[in-house]
Amino acid sequence: MNRIIVSVIVLLSVVGIATFSVMSLDASCERLAESLDEIKQTAEAGDSEKAVELTENILDVWEKQEKKISLLIDHGEIDEIEKIIKSLSVYARQDNMERLEEKSSVAAERVRHIKDKEKVSPQNVF
């Protein structure tokens, strides 16, 4: 009987930790994606001063969120997103709004893909 109780406690603990991890990952990815969307909108508007400011801020957001994301996600995917995010400030300083819009959109899409990839669903299980 004690083994069953211990097993149930361990199972509930694992489910609780996994649920908390997925919720934390969702929140981190959404914050990051929203910041990237804001950069895209600024690029569409052609506001280069605000774009430079936002691209510098996104690096701080990335550093904070990357720590949480890297615990649960393939590092190859994280490295690719990080490379794109670091390139955004270059495009903003060069006043290359088309490229900034494109790359911020790609980065936001990849960040949202992380959320979708980690959700518990039949597509992800099988």
Side-chain angles (χ1 to χ4, degrees), residues 2 4 6 20-21 23 30 32 39 42 45 55 73 80-82 85 97-98 101 105-107 113 119 121 125:
N2 286 338
I4 293 174
V6 170
F20 175 76
S21 297
M23 289 172 48
E30 193 54 38
L32 192 57
I39 291 171
T42 302
T55 56
I73 302 300
E80 194 63 35
I81 293 169
E82 183 173 21
I85 288 174
M97 294 297 123
E98 284 182 29
E101 181 183 343
S105 179
V106 168
H113 178 260
K119 285 183 180 175
S121 67
V125 173

Side-chain angles (χ1 to χ4, degrees), residues 2-20:
N2 286 338
R3 289 183 184 176
I4 293 174
I5 293 172
V6 170
S7 297
V8 169
I9 291 172
V10 169
L11 178 65
L12 291 176
S13 297
V14 168
V15 169
I17 291 169
T19 302
F20 175 76

Side-chain angles (χ1 to χ4, degrees), residues 48-76:
S48 59
E49 288 180 25
K50 187 174 180 183
V52 169
E53 178 186 329
L54 290 174
T55 56
E56 290 173 1
N57 290 342
I58 194 74
L59 292 173
D60 293 332
V61 173
W62 172 251
E63 286 180 18
K64 292 174 186 170
Q65 303 307 322
E66 187 262 341
K67 293 173 185 169
K68 294 176 186 175
I69 294 170
S70 67
L71 294 172
L72 302 167
I73 302 300
D74 175 37
H75 287 276

